Amino acid sequence: MAQFAVNPSFISFAGGYPAADAFDFDGIRRASEKAWSQGAKDCLQYGATEGVAPLRAALKALGLARGIHAEDDQLMVTTGSQQALDFLLRATVAPGDTVLVERPTYPGALQAFRLAGARVVGIDGDAEGIDPQAVARAIEAAPSKPKMIYVVPTFANPTGATMSESRRRDLLALAAKHDILLVEDDPYGLLRFSGDAVAPIAAHAAKDAELRKVSVYLSTLSKVAVPALRIGWMVASSEVTRRCVMAKQVSDLCTSPWMQHIGAAYLDSPEFAAHVPRIIATYKERADAMVTALHQAFDKEWVFLVPDGGMFLWVKLPRGVDAGELLKAALAQKVVFVPGAACYASEPDAACLRMSYSTASPEVIREGVARLAHAYRSYCVG
């Protein structure tokens, strides 16, 4: 998909990239200058594996604003949240261990689980996220106790769904009852443009020592600042964090201190607080444009959940339509999306696709959907 995303003749709804035209260029530049002026040597020297102190403090404050409390030995900085998941798997999952995931789920996580040799079991979800009762049945049916439950509970990739408050509490209680790590991947939680906010699972875990033992929270600055900083972080129990720190020491010693100091300066600046509402407004405009264009082009033939935030729409196509084959017709019209099969651990539903609205203007979205409608008509005729 990447080759088409950078080809100016193609319209891409494929990549989960943030909107480059909405980056806070001036704010990041000023944060970079501030970080350098306050300590060029600190920017260029090795840093603590857990993360430099100013960034850790800024991330703790960002978490506290959403109810997430982290002690010093419970937070580590990583080079993107994908690295945090990688280290978590190295520290806790052995080949053959069972990992439970929502069906469908984030393709990058599936790749990480497969690389770790895990047995991945998909559990159906709906507009309220994964069903805790179905998770309980899967735990009972597993040949051995699962090591991990992985969810993207807020504006999920790929579905855009948000897990309800009651399901978050029930899932956390279930994980604690069976002593299974509950991994909450939260790249999009700050990107809500409609509806009422739902507290992170980690915020519920913060209120109880037993719940904190199984709660793991992953997040990133890639979607709310810029991806190039490569700043992610993890909040987990001190024991889990310690083991992940050891994995990071073996891997890369530390995330770039220069980028960390820039990230800290940006989070502490008024520019960050002003920037987040701007990107939320940008994504709302683009999501509205895509929803309207799809309704106009396909009426009720294509079914999808209207998201309250994030970057994605998940489309259910009519029975018998293969999204992989439809993509071939779409490429001929120079528009791309992600076939849904990539988002399933097993037994994929071929009649689904993921569309991202984050990188295209409303005008481009309307043109892209028109091309997609033309491709769909060609597919149906052919």
Side-chain angles (χ1 to χ4, degrees):
M1 293 296 101
Q3 62 179 312
F4 302 114
V6 298
N7 187 325
S9 67
F10 276 78
I11 294 176
S12 176
F13 298 139
Y17 288 12
D21 57 340
F23 287 164
D24 185 5
F25 294 96
D26 290 339
I28 295 294
R29 175 181 55 79
R30 283 190 285 268
S32 179
E33 292 169 351
K34 180 179 179 181
W36 186 262
S37 65
Q38 289 183 338
K41 291 182 180 179
D42 291 336
C43 289
L44 299 180
Q45 186 56 279
Y46 286 116
T49 302
E50 297 87 342
V52 302
L55 178 60
R56 288 165 55 80
L59 294 175
K60 287 181 184 180
L62 190 64
L64 278 175
R66 303 183 65 207
I68 302 170
H69 177 79
E71 300 290 347
D72 285 342
D73 61 354
Q74 295 174 336
L75 184 147
M76 69 175 290
V77 176
T78 56
T79 305
S81 59
Q82 187 75 18
Q83 188 187 64
L85 180 60
D86 178 32
F87 292 155
L88 186 63
L89 291 172
R90 294 193 206 184
T92 63
V93 173
D97 285 344
T98 299
V99 174
L100 306 181
V101 302
E102 189 169 358
R103 174 183 161 86
T105 194
Y106 167 48
L110 289 177
Q111 291 175 317
F113 299 144
R114 288 166 178 153
L115 188 61
R119 172 180 174 265
V120 187
V121 177
I123 300 169
D124 287 335
D126 56 24
E128 293 187 40
I130 199 169
D131 180 0
Q133 293 183 353
V135 174
R137 292 192 293 269
I139 292 172
E140 295 300 326
S144 59
K145 186 178 74 173
K147 285 290 185 70
M148 182 181 296
I149 304 167
Y150 171 85
V151 292
V152 186
T154 306
F155 316 132
N157 180 357
T159 65
T162 293
M163 187 183 297
S164 64
E165 192 87 34
S166 61
R167 287 194 182 183
R168 292 173 190 236
R169 293 179 184 275
D170 291 348
L171 190 61
L172 181 59
L174 184 65
K177 174 184 176 181
H178 293 278
D179 191 27
I180 300 171
L181 288 180
L182 175 55
V183 181
E184 174 183 15
D185 199 350
D186 187 30
Y188 317 106
L190 292 177
L191 299 178
R192 175 174 290 278
F193 46 70
S194 63
D196 297 326
V198 183
I201 296 172
H204 297 298
K207 303 170 185 177
D208 184 283
E210 291 304 309
L211 299 180
R212 286 198 299 270
K213 290 180 182 179
V214 299
S215 172
V216 179
Y217 178 82
L218 310 180
S219 194
T220 177
L221 293 185
S222 294
K223 307 302 188 292
V224 294
V226 291
L229 290 177
R230 304 310 303 131
I231 299 297
W233 70 98
M234 179 180 75
V235 176
S237 70
S238 57
E239 173 60 20
V240 169
T241 303
R242 181 187 66 82
R243 293 167 68 181
C244 290
V245 168
M246 292 173 62
K248 185 169 177 62
Q249 287 173 338
V250 172
S251 177
D252 66 357
L253 292 179
C254 66
T255 296
S256 167
W258 194 348
M259 296 298 104
Q260 289 190 66
H261 283 289
I262 293 172
Y266 187 56
L267 288 177
D268 287 337
S269 72
E271 282 93 342
F272 176 72
H275 175 63
V276 173
R278 289 198 296 268
I279 58 175
I280 291 172
T282 297
Y283 291 156
K284 174 174 172 49
E285 180 184 39
R286 295 177 180 187
D288 289 347
M290 181 168 282
V291 167
T292 299
L294 288 173
H295 280 316
Q296 291 174 346
F298 302 104
D299 194 19
K300 298 179 182 179
E301 194 172 4
W302 286 22
V303 179
F304 54 87
L305 174 71
V306 177
D308 288 329
M311 298 181 171
F312 303 107
L313 280 176
W314 180 251
V315 176
K316 177 68 174 177
L317 301 168
R319 184 183 297 274
V321 177
D322 187 317
E325 293 300 314
L326 176 59
L327 179 61
K328 297 177 182 178
L331 289 173
Q333 298 299 321
K334 296 190 175 181
V335 59
V336 294
F337 54 81
V338 173
C343 304
Y344 289 88
S346 61
E347 301 178 356
D349 185 345
C352 292
L353 59 88
R354 190 193 77 179
M355 298 176 67
S356 175
Y357 46 78
S358 57
T359 60
S361 69
E363 294 76 20
V364 172
I365 287 172
R366 287 188 282 270
E367 170 61 23
V369 171
R371 295 185 190 183
L372 199 52
H374 192 283
Y376 182 65
R377 289 192 294 270
S378 299
Y379 169 87
C380 292
V381 170

